[in-house]
Amino acid sequence: MSTVVVQFCALFERLRQRLALGCPDAASPAGWLLVQLGLLLLPSSALLASFLLFPALLLGSLRRECPYWRDPWNWPLIAAGLLMLLGCFNAYSGGLALSGLGNWIPFFWAFWGFQPYLADAKARRRMALWLVAGTVPVVVTGLGQLWLGWQGPWQVLGGLIIWFVAPGGEPEGRLSGLFDYANIAAAWLALVWPLALAALVQPGLKRGRRLLVLAVVVALVAALVLTDSRNGWGALVLAVPLVLGPLSWPWLLPLLALALLPVLLSVLPGVPTLLQDPARSLVPESVWSRLSDSRYASERALASTRLSQWSVALQLISERPWLGWGAAAFSVLYPLRTGKWHGHSHNLPLELAVSHGLPVAIAVVGLVLALLVVSQRCASMSLFDRAWWAAILIVVVLHGTDMPFFDSRLNIAGWMLLAGLRSRIGEPRSNDSVTVL
């Protein structure tokens, strides 16, 4: 028994030493270990990840050279947080308004507190790889539920953690894995896809490791396709030129355009039958019918469509533009006005404006867009920084027609990515290693 204990302790020490490598100067060494393990567990369990990420966040907030309120990038979040609190006093949604702040205000702090762990390109690369590695259980369980008939619930820690893996996917026939719904699984896989692609094409990778990464990437792409999410399919295409970089565009963009031409001809309205029929013979019916929404168009009532939800959201904003109706108010008001229930407006800027008012929506959305623009221009980008930037852009695009951030795992990952963009701004050029493909 003593020999086993000694071997285990030696293995643990080697793992600790390996995790300790690459810790940025401004980061807590203990927090550095916790963040890596937290990101590894995040796709599988937000609860387990939080037990690691929360103390890392506390450590990342201590002994900072620049206090929270002195960083101009935090000022929009401070203003938004104060307005959100003020709006709770006259919220239509009552107590839901106060509890709904949990989706926002703690993450305004996390945006700042995680920055020391993402202070250089090497640190961001390591965190990206942990997110890719942590996604493997999502892919495996998703493929298992569709191809092998796996189903939950699966429990660990005496029922503290329960995975409700739906047999055949949720909804039926669409991969959902460890997530509650296929569109949420697709959002997570779309977020990780640019990071996985960067891991695959990075130079200097040994053959055995590249084959392993290739297997993970192929499985991830298969899982993303099987979610049957149009947003996810779009993310597959969008990420490729962004990650590979401008030097690849002269040959890559024409190739992508040629590959997408049959898909466009098969789904765009007004295309002559002479062109559309051959295109649909090349493109799988499951793809062109999903993209054209022909499977569901005849079944949907107007009140169940995005256009109806956005129209009602705009009406609600016009009625209370300054402080909004309170968090979760849309789910209360939409049934009263349409007779159909929907939990949100399927658009993040609209949802923010309905819940907390136009000033809050402008502050938060403006901050994210400014981070994307400024971080892209401030210095030359390494391969993994391009992938990091692409992941944020994909998350932004996804929130134009859906609201995956209501899943806590995506919310945590999204704010972690935003913290990485903030850390990149002002980073010395000598710290950036440009990867040319």
Side-chain angles (χ1 to χ4, degrees):
M1 180 64 71
S2 60
T3 303
V4 174
V5 172
V6 170
Q7 291 177 344
F8 176 80
C9 291
L11 179 63
F12 179 81
E13 178 60 22
R14 286 198 296 270
L15 176 62
R16 188 198 65 79
Q17 292 177 357
R18 189 170 185 84
L19 290 175
L21 296 175
C23 180
D25 294 338
S28 158
W32 175 247
L33 299 178
L34 294 172
V35 165
Q36 293 177 78
L37 294 175
L39 289 183
L40 177 65
L41 293 175
L42 180 59
S44 298
S45 171
L47 179 62
L48 291 179
S50 297
F51 288 149
L52 299 168
L53 293 175
F54 182 71
L57 178 58
L58 290 174
L59 292 170
S61 303
L62 299 175
R63 296 188 296 275
R64 295 284 293 273
E65 293 183 3
C66 179
Y68 186 92
W69 55 88
R70 289 187 180 175
D71 185 350
W73 286 97
N74 293 334
W75 294 350
L77 300 180
I78 294 173
L82 292 174
L83 289 172
M84 286 177 170
L85 287 169
L86 183 61
C88 289
F89 291 103
N90 191 36
Y92 182 86
S93 53
L96 291 175
L98 195 58
S99 61
L101 297 185
N103 287 321
W104 293 102
I105 291 182
F107 295 98
F108 294 171
W109 167 38
F111 169 73
W112 175 75
F114 283 131
Q115 289 174 23
Y117 307 114
L118 305 162
D120 56 56
K122 290 181 179 179
R124 292 189 290 273
R125 174 185 177 274
R126 177 170 283 219
M127 296 306 176
L129 293 177
W130 282 119
L131 281 172
V132 174
T135 302
V136 171
V138 177
V139 173
V140 171
T141 55
L143 296 178
Q145 76 180 159
L146 291 187
W147 293 348
L148 302 175
W150 292 357
Q151 59 181 299
W154 300 334
Q155 301 183 27
V156 296
L157 302 177
L160 184 63
I161 307 295
I162 303 177
W163 291 288
F164 295 97
V165 179
E170 179 57 43
E172 179 71 26
R174 297 177 59 185
L175 183 145
S176 54
L178 298 177
F179 291 85
D180 296 332
Y181 194 75
N183 285 350
I184 307 300
W188 179 270
L189 295 172
L191 179 153
V192 174
W193 159 236
L195 310 177
L197 180 59
L200 177 63
V201 301
Q202 62 179 312
L205 204 61
K206 294 181 180 179
R207 182 180 178 183
R209 290 187 177 182
R210 197 176 299 278
L211 289 175
L212 177 61
V213 175
L214 176 61
V216 172
V217 168
V218 169
L220 188 150
V221 171
L224 187 48
V225 170
L226 290 170
T227 61
D228 210 21
S229 165
R230 291 166 292 187
N231 283 339
W233 295 349
L236 277 175
V237 178
L238 176 62
V240 176
L242 294 177
V243 173
L244 297 187
L247 292 180
S248 69
W249 292 355
W251 61 267
L252 178 61
L253 294 182
L255 187 63
L256 285 175
L258 184 63
L260 291 174
L261 182 60
V263 178
L264 294 175
L265 292 176
S266 67
V267 301
L268 289 177
V271 175
T273 305
L274 185 64
L275 295 175
Q276 194 163 72
D277 287 346
R280 288 187 172 183
S281 67
L282 291 174
V283 179
E285 183 180 356
S286 60
V287 174
W288 64 256
S289 64
R290 175 64 171 151
L291 290 174
S292 60
D293 213 16
S294 61
R295 276 183 281 177
Y296 310 107
S298 61
E299 304 172 7
R300 283 186 172 178
L302 177 62
S304 298
T305 64
R306 297 285 195 274
L307 291 177
S308 173
Q309 294 152 21
W310 296 342
S311 175
V312 172
L314 290 172
Q315 293 173 14
L316 294 172
I317 293 167
S318 68
E319 294 171 22
R320 283 196 181 188
W322 301 113
L323 295 177
W325 296 81
F330 187 87
S331 63
V332 178
L333 292 165
Y334 192 76
L336 297 177
R337 304 205 175 191
T338 66
K340 291 279 186 178
W341 184 86
H342 274 286
H344 53 74
S345 60
H346 285 90
N347 178 279
L348 182 58
L350 291 179
E351 185 72 19
L352 268 172
V354 169
S355 299
H356 306 291
L358 277 172
V360 168
I362 292 171
V364 175
V365 175
L367 171 70
V368 173
L369 296 180
L371 282 169
L372 281 168
V373 172
V374 176
S375 65
Q376 196 273 336
R377 292 182 175 180
C378 66
S380 55
M381 293 179 119
S382 68
L383 170 64
F384 274 91
D385 277 334
R386 289 200 301 268
W388 195 279
W389 191 91
I392 280 290
L393 180 64
I394 285 172
V395 171
V396 169
V397 172
L398 291 178
H399 281 88
T401 57
D402 209 345
M403 299 282 290
F405 96 101
F406 280 126
D407 184 279
S408 56
R409 290 164 288 185
L410 277 153
N411 208 353
I412 293 170
W415 283 100
M416 182 75 74
L417 290 171
L418 288 172
L421 286 191
R422 171 62 188 96
S423 296
R424 176 174 155 70
I425 295 173
E427 187 179 64
R429 287 181 178 269
S430 60
N431 287 350
D432 285 286
S433 56
V434 181
T435 304
V436 179
L437 300 178

